[in-house]
Amino acid sequence: MLKSQSVQAIVEQLCAIFDESVANLREALKAYLQRGELPDLKDRAAGRFAYPELRIDYHPTSPRPAHGPVRAFRLNDPGCYASSIARPDLFRDYLAVQLQHLIDDYGVEVSVGRSKNEIPYPYVIDESGIEIGSVSTTELSRWFPSNELVHIGDEVADGFRASDATECRPLALFDAPRTDFSLARLKHYTGTPAEHFQHFVLFTNYVRYVDEFVDFAVDALRRKDSGFRSLSVPGAVYEPGELANAEAEIAAGRWRRHQMPAYHLMADDRTGITLVNIGVGPSNAKTICDHIAVLRPEVWLMIGHCGGLRPSQSIGDYVLAHAYLRDDHLLDDVLPPEIPVPAIAEVQLALFEAAKLVTGEEEEDLKRRLRTGTVVTTDDRNWELRYTASARRFNQSRAVAIDMESATVAAQGYRFRVPYGTLLCVSDKPLHGELKLPGQANAFYERAISQHLRIGIEALTILKREGDALHSRKLRSFDEPPLR
C-alpha cells in the first residue's frame, strides 16, 4: 500500500494503477487473440488486471466532539474503510473533495493499493483497436475477468451488507464493479457518454420538454456570459461556433435509437445541467436512477406532467410534491412502502422560489395555482379503469396529483443519498371530466412547457449556491460509508 496525505497525490496514484491495469488487460487480450497466449494466473492473483483500492484508517486518540462539522458524512467508529474505485479520472474532483474533508475533520490515514476486484474485459475494448473477430464471449470469459452479477449489487446502499469485524467496512456506496456496470449502461440507454453527465439533473416524461431544453441550451451557448461551454446530445456535441442549424439537426438526430436520451448543457467542473427524457413509467425511472447515482450528482428533479385530483385545480397548475404514495411497487423489497420518503427542505424552497422568479407572480397569487401535497405514483397507465378500487386510497392519502414516475425518482434519491424534488404540471383532470384529448393537449403544451422547464432550471441554479449544505446529514443512515 502506498500512503500519502496529499489528496491530489492520492488521486494520481488511483489513476496510475487503473491505467496500468487497463493497459495490462488490453495487452493480454491482444496476445491471446493474435497468438493464443493465455494470461498468467499468478499475475492475475497479484493484481495485474485489478481495480485500484482506496482505503482510510481512522484511529482517534481523543473523543470526537458531539457536534462536529456539518457534513454529508460522519465517522462514528474507528477502524478501516475501503472500496475499489473505477474510472478514478472521471471522479477526480469528487474524490479530492471527499478525502480532504475526511483528512481535515478526522485526521484519517489514506492509502492506495490494488483491490481484489478485476476489471471485466468488455470495459477495455472500446477505443482500444482490439478486434475480437469470431472469438466468442464465452471463450474470452473463460480466460479473462468478466461481468459476474454475484459481484454487482446495491447491498451497501440498501443496508443489507453484513458487518465483519475482520474486514474493512465499505468506504463508498458503490464499488468499482457496480460503478463500471452503470457507466456502460448509461451510454447504452442515453446515447451519451458518462463523462458528459453534469452534477445537476432534470428528469422529464415528455419529449416536448426536450425541444424546449435544446432551445434554451442553444440560446445559452450563443451568449458569451452564460457560463456554459457545449451541448452534448445523442450522437453529437455542439460548440458555441457550431449552432447554425443545431435545433433542426438535434430534432432529426439519433435520439430515437435510445430508450432514455440525455442532453447535457455542459459547464466547467460538470456544474452544468443534464436533462433525461425517461419516458413514461416507473421502470424507466428506476433504471436511469440506478445508473446516474454512481456519478454522485448534487441533486435530481422530476419535472413532468400529472393528472390533477382536486376539483379546485386547473389545467396548467403546478404541484410541488411534499409526500409520495408509492403505488409503483418496484422498490418494495429494498425500500418498503411504509418507510417515509421525506421532502428535502432546501429543494422545496428552491422550487417555490424559482416558480416565483420565473412566473413573476406575487407569492399569494402563485399559491392559488401551485399546490403542495401528496403525489401518487402508479404502475398502471390505465388506473382510471380501476378508479373505484383506488378512490378510497387516494382519499385517505389526501393526494393532489397522480403520475407514473415521481415517487420512484424520489425513492431512488432516498436510497442513493441524492437530494430530490418534484414539480409537476397538471395536464388533465380525469376525475373531473377533463381528459387529455389531442386538441386540448396541444394548446396546453404550447402554454406550459417553456415556463415549467425554466422553473426547473432556475431551481437548479438556486441549489448550486447551497454547496455542501445541500447534502449535510439529510439522507445518511446511522451506519453510513464515509464517502457521500
Side-chain angles (χ1 to χ4, degrees):
M1 286 283 188
L2 301 172
K3 297 185 178 181
S4 173
Q5 291 300 302
S6 164
V7 294
Q8 297 303 329
I10 292 165
V11 176
E12 290 300 332
Q13 291 167 16
L14 290 168
C15 292
I17 292 174
F18 181 79
D19 291 345
E20 182 181 2
S21 292
V22 168
N24 290 341
L25 185 50
R26 286 175 172 170
E27 180 184 353
L29 282 165
K30 289 178 182 177
Y32 178 77
L33 293 168
Q34 295 171 6
R35 300 183 297 277
E37 296 179 10
L38 298 178
D40 189 289
L41 294 179
K42 291 182 180 179
D43 285 346
R44 286 187 62 177
R48 184 170 176 78
F49 305 150
Y51 287 106
E53 180 181 84
L54 180 62
R55 168 174 169 156
I56 68 169
D57 286 275
Y58 175 50
H59 300 291
T61 57
S62 59
R64 292 289 303 168
H67 301 288
V70 179
R71 305 285 195 198
F73 57 82
R74 183 181 178 86
L75 276 175
N76 293 314
D77 299 314
C80 71
Y81 300 79
S83 287
S84 54
I85 304 294
R87 303 280 302 278
D89 189 60
L90 178 61
F91 297 96
R92 182 183 295 272
D93 293 340
Y94 162 78
L95 290 169
V97 169
Q98 296 290 298
L99 289 174
Q100 194 63 62
H101 285 330
L102 287 168
I103 292 170
D104 292 345
D105 296 349
Y106 295 94
V108 300
E109 186 177 69
V110 185
S111 56
V112 172
R114 294 183 181 274
S115 74
K116 297 178 181 178
N117 299 131
E118 291 185 298
I119 303 172
Y121 78 85
Y123 299 149
V124 306
I125 291 177
D126 284 352
E127 301 178 2
S128 68
I130 297 174
E131 296 291 340
I132 294 178
S134 61
V135 179
S136 69
T137 56
T138 301
E139 180 180 343
L140 289 176
S141 297
R142 181 181 179 186
W143 304 112
F144 294 91
S146 61
N147 290 307
E148 297 185 35
L149 294 183
V150 69
H151 299 311
I152 301 172
D154 287 322
E155 288 80 7
V156 176
D158 292 326
F160 294 150
R161 185 184 179 93
S163 59
D164 186 338
T166 65
E167 295 183 356
C168 287
R169 280 169 283 190
L171 179 64
L173 292 175
F174 306 110
D175 62 9
R178 171 67 169 85
T179 298
D180 248 347
F181 176 80
S182 282
L183 295 181
R185 288 296 178 93
L186 279 176
K187 187 172 183 179
H188 169 75
Y189 285 122
T190 71
T192 56
E195 294 86 347
H196 291 180
F197 277 78
Q198 304 296 286
H199 292 314
F200 297 86
V201 181
L202 294 174
F203 295 123
T204 189
N205 53 12
Y206 282 94
V207 70
R208 297 199 188 197
Y209 282 83
V210 173
D211 298 335
E212 193 64 36
F213 183 77
V214 169
D215 289 345
F216 173 88
V218 170
D219 180 67
L221 291 177
R222 285 175 175 147
R223 301 195 318 270
K224 294 183 179 179
D225 62 346
S226 71
F228 300 108
R229 55 181 176 80
S230 58
L231 172 64
S232 170
V233 304
V237 176
Y238 290 85
E239 304 290 342
E242 304 169 345
L243 302 171
N245 300 306
E247 293 95 335
E249 291 172 359
I250 293 169
R254 296 172 52 184
W255 61 270
R256 293 174 183 83
R257 302 180 186 182
H258 303 284
Q259 186 171 334
M260 291 175 278
Y263 304 79
H264 314 283
L265 184 53
M266 296 189 286
D268 292 339
D269 301 321
R270 294 168 63 196
T271 56
I273 301 169
T274 285
L275 174 79
V276 185
N277 179 14
I278 63 177
V280 177
S283 180
N284 274 3
K286 177 187 181 298
T287 297
I288 198 65
C289 291
D290 281 339
H291 301 313
I292 291 180
V294 305
L295 295 172
R296 309 315 297 142
E298 299 290 341
V299 62
W300 57 44
L301 305 178
M302 179 68 202
I303 57 166
H305 292 168
C306 66
L309 299 179
R310 297 301 179 95
S312 59
Q313 290 171 306
S314 299
I315 303 297
D317 282 359
Y318 294 116
V319 173
L320 178 58
H322 73 193
Y324 302 91
L325 181 60
R326 293 171 47 210
D327 281 350
D328 55 338
H329 305 300
L330 284 178
L331 297 167
D332 291 0
D333 290 341
V334 294
L335 189 68
E338 64 267 21
I339 294 177
V341 176
I344 307 297
E346 289 84 352
V347 177
Q348 301 297 97
L349 292 171
L351 283 166
F352 187 76
E353 183 63 25
K356 286 198 301 180
L357 291 171
V358 172
T359 63
E361 297 177 16
E362 297 294 330
E363 185 169 322
E364 290 305 313
D365 293 331
L366 180 61
K367 286 181 177 179
R368 292 189 181 97
R369 66 186 194 95
L370 190 156
R371 293 282 297 268
T372 59
T374 298
V375 171
V376 181
T377 291
T378 178
D379 58 0
D380 182 0
R381 179 58 190 87
N382 294 317
W383 64 269
E384 297 96 331
L385 303 180
R386 300 182 65 253
Y387 173 66
T388 302
S390 304
R392 184 183 180 200
R393 187 164 172 79
F394 290 176
N395 221 13
Q396 288 178 327
S397 70
R398 311 298 192 264
V400 298
I402 184 167
D403 79 343
M404 298 188 69
E405 302 85 24
S406 295
T408 312
V409 169
Q412 288 283 72
Y414 183 84
R415 282 182 72 206
F416 297 135
R417 289 71 159 174
V418 177
Y420 50 85
T422 299
L423 183 70
L424 302 176
C425 195
V426 176
S427 61
D428 61 330
K429 296 172 59 185
L431 303 190
H432 310 289
E434 295 187 53
L435 302 178
K436 191 185 292 183
L437 301 176
Q440 295 171 328
N442 287 332
F444 161 73
Y445 291 142
E446 293 298 328
R447 183 176 64 252
I449 288 174
S450 177
Q451 184 182 85
H452 191 191
L453 176 72
R454 280 164 169 74
I455 292 172
I457 292 171
E458 182 62 32
L460 293 181
T461 301
I462 293 170
L463 290 167
K464 287 179 188 179
R465 297 195 284 266
E466 290 286 337
D468 285 347
L470 182 59
H471 300 280
S472 59
R473 301 185 294 190
K474 295 173 182 63
L475 297 174
R476 72 184 186 203
S477 66
F478 58 81
D479 188 23
E480 193 77 357
L483 298 189
R484 175 181 71 79

